[in-house]
Amino acid sequence: MLATHLVILAVAVLVDFASAGVPLPRYEALLKQQSAPSDPTLGLYDDGDKVIRLSVDNFNATVLDQNRGALVEFYNTYCGHCRRFAPTYKSVAEHLLPWSEVLIVAAIDCAAEENNGVCRNYEVMGYPTLRYLGPGFQPGPQHYGQSLHTQDINEIREMLAGMVAAENLTSSHNNSYWPNFYYLTENDSASSLFEGLSSVTQYVAVVHEPENTTLGVEVALFMTQWPAVSVRRVIDPAVAAKFKIDPTNLPISLVDRKGEITAYAPESTNGESYAKKLWDVLGKKNITPRPVTVHQPSATPASKIKGQNELIDEVHRNKHFVYQADLEQAIRTVLHNEVSKVGEISDEKLLALQRFLAVLQRYNPLGANGHQLVSKLKDYVVEFNDKLTGSQFEEELKRLEAHLSPVYSSTHFVGCVGSSPRLRGFSCSLWTLFHFMTVQAANNEESQDPLEVLQAMHGYIKNFFGCTECSEHFQAMASRRKIWSVPNKEEAVLWLWAAHNEVNQRLAGDATEDPEFPKKQFPAPDSCSECYRTPDSKSENLEIEWNKDAVLGFLKNIHNPQFVSRYGVQREELLHPTADKMRQKRQISSVFTDMDMRMGMLLYAFCIVMMVLAFKLFAFKGYRKKPYGHDLLGKV
């Protein structure tokens, strides 16, 4: 009856906590030639964006030793902060598209395993990270590009303009589209402006640039696609006056080859507004920018959308399940992506990794090959007392996987699938894995350390988790909730449950939330009504009064390894036998006791002996009768 009750309860509960410009031809070619990650549906940018997607296959060829600069975002698909920043970065790429002959806007997903080496080599310590790589850039020790510590579009534009202008004095980039950023002087005149310029250039735009701004540089960059115009900056009021410029009312002027000068007033004081004024003036003169082509984004294959929708339907039907596929994806991502891309693992990081692997070895949800992998990997890491590099760890991991292959029974998320590949996924599965391990630890009588899983989780998130903002939030919450004062293993289960609910409450309605799986307090009343002390506390408008004893029992039941669903698993033979299969094997032994079995074997042996004796007895009697029959027949 107890087993039946547990099965019914498990089937009734919820387990998922986490619940205007157009490209230029050369830029267009980069967009078409870009190499996407192994799964093109992953990553935060697609073909419809003006962001060039980088990978290990095209990174060097796109940004190293080029005659133009590159703004590169190093991001992690599963980082909530990166997801919130993605729309801004798309706007940056769209906004700076006219600069693309001098500066491209690109991004590389450090959550993609194949990009581990790139992100590790550039010592990316947090996400998102913005770096400017100038013309002719080559990485070197302590030289991985100039960092931009802002996520504001205007500040990004101004900082990039300053960095690009600095290249005018420090680099030999051999780029004919590169503007002349030198200021005009008193020696310059309307006639001298055209010296050294191509005959294609019909006009020179003179822009007054206020001190301590990059306004003139920005105008020049916005005009790089207009070969008929060259842009020059002026800062001296006396020199500006020679070109009919009034810094307050008429800050830009257009000079033609005849020496005629016309001043103009843009709508607002920023580089794009100045450029739009020039575009309008030139358009009326029938002057156009270089021809452009429109990049048509490719659609997501219908078959992939259908498969994703089927998974979502499965999860909605069985939202009470913990899925084996999610546990495996969490482990695989931690080992292959999170740990492997760290440059140097030493001191606190090394200890955190050793603790994490020790706990994972003890409460490992993988099959036999997976158990060997984690065990051998832990032994390998423990051998290092000083430091270990991410590349060494990755090399050993791949060697062990090749030796023990196959290890993983699944290659995709199931319960943690999102309505978009950029939602849920790894972060959801990581919560699932740690909830699973806290429950296994609570049910394990061998270990008495109440903090073993929480300490491993804290160390991992602090030192390896790819979302910097998430890590900081978790550490602050752990300190406030007094994680190091948890008294026993059952309280550890409840601590993690309460912490996860706090995170869900903080992120409810956030841009990172999946509309198909809104973040709510767990468990819901229809999943565990006993978990609420009073009916009134079930209202979302009131603070919930939990029955923590019921919550604990609920969590232990839904994270029971016997109830882990194998839906979506491709290679079930790699896993341990299910409870049903083990039950079939033990069916006979479960009916009879050991004494019954021994008595049955003795009875069986006795029966065999009696049958043999009976056979010999009847055979002997038949042999004795035959001679008499023969004599009688002979006499007849």
Side-chain angles (χ1 to χ4, degrees), residues 612-627:
V612 171
L613 292 175
F615 175 77
K616 288 186 176 181
L617 179 61
F618 284 108
F620 178 75
K621 287 183 178 180
Y623 174 77
R624 293 290 302 271
K625 290 179 179 180
K626 287 181 180 180

Side-chain angles (χ1 to χ4, degrees), residues 34-37 42-45 51-60 62-63 71-77 82 89 105-122 124 126-131 133 341:
Q34 58 190 347
S35 175
L42 295 178
L44 300 180
Y45 309 101
V51 178
I52 294 178
R53 299 199 311 276
L54 301 175
S55 72
V56 64
D57 296 325
N58 69 354
F59 188 90
N60 290 350
T62 305
V63 303
L71 173 64
V72 178
E73 178 197 14
F74 296 84
Y75 72 94
N76 186 314
T77 295
C82 298
Y89 198 64
V105 178
I108 183 168
D109 184 8
C110 294
E113 182 183 339
E114 63 267 26
N115 298 332
N116 281 349
V118 175
C119 300
R120 183 170 58 234
N121 292 340
Y122 278 78
V124 178
Y127 302 100
T129 290
L130 298 181
R131 301 263 179 86
L133 312 181
K341 66 170 171 271

Side-chain angles (χ1 to χ4, degrees), residues 206-226:
V206 180
V207 180
H208 177 263
E209 183 177 84
E211 291 188 26
N212 301 318
T213 72
T214 58
L215 193 148
V217 176
E218 295 173 32
V219 176
L221 291 170
F222 278 117
M223 297 300 297
T224 53
Q225 58 181 317
W226 296 76

Side-chain angles (χ1 to χ4, degrees), residues 148-254:
L148 284 76
H149 300 291
T150 181
Q151 294 178 10
D152 178 80
I153 292 181
N154 293 328
E155 292 179 358
I156 290 174
R157 183 189 67 243
E158 293 170 2
M159 292 179 69
L160 287 173
M163 293 174 180
V164 170
E167 304 287 356
N168 210 56
L169 300 175
T170 59
S171 301
S172 56
H173 34 71
N174 191 29
N175 185 340
S176 60
Y177 299 113
W178 203 276
N180 182 350
F181 292 121
Y182 289 101
Y183 287 112
L184 293 176
T185 67
E186 58 184 9
N187 296 324
D188 291 303
S189 63
S191 58
S192 67
L193 292 181
F194 292 88
E195 293 178 1
L197 296 180
S198 167
S199 59
V200 176
T201 304
Q202 302 176 41
Y203 297 92
V204 173
V206 180
V207 180
H208 177 263
E209 183 177 84
E211 291 188 26
N212 301 318
T213 72
T214 58
L215 193 148
V217 176
E218 295 173 32
V219 176
L221 291 170
F222 278 117
M223 297 300 297
T224 53
Q225 58 181 317
W226 296 76
V229 182
S230 176
V231 177
R232 297 297 303 275
R233 300 188 294 165
V234 61
I235 193 170
D236 187 332
V239 178
K242 293 172 59 177
F243 298 96
K244 298 184 179 181
I245 286 180
D246 176 356
T248 304
N249 301 311
L250 298 171
I252 57 175
S253 65
L254 207 57

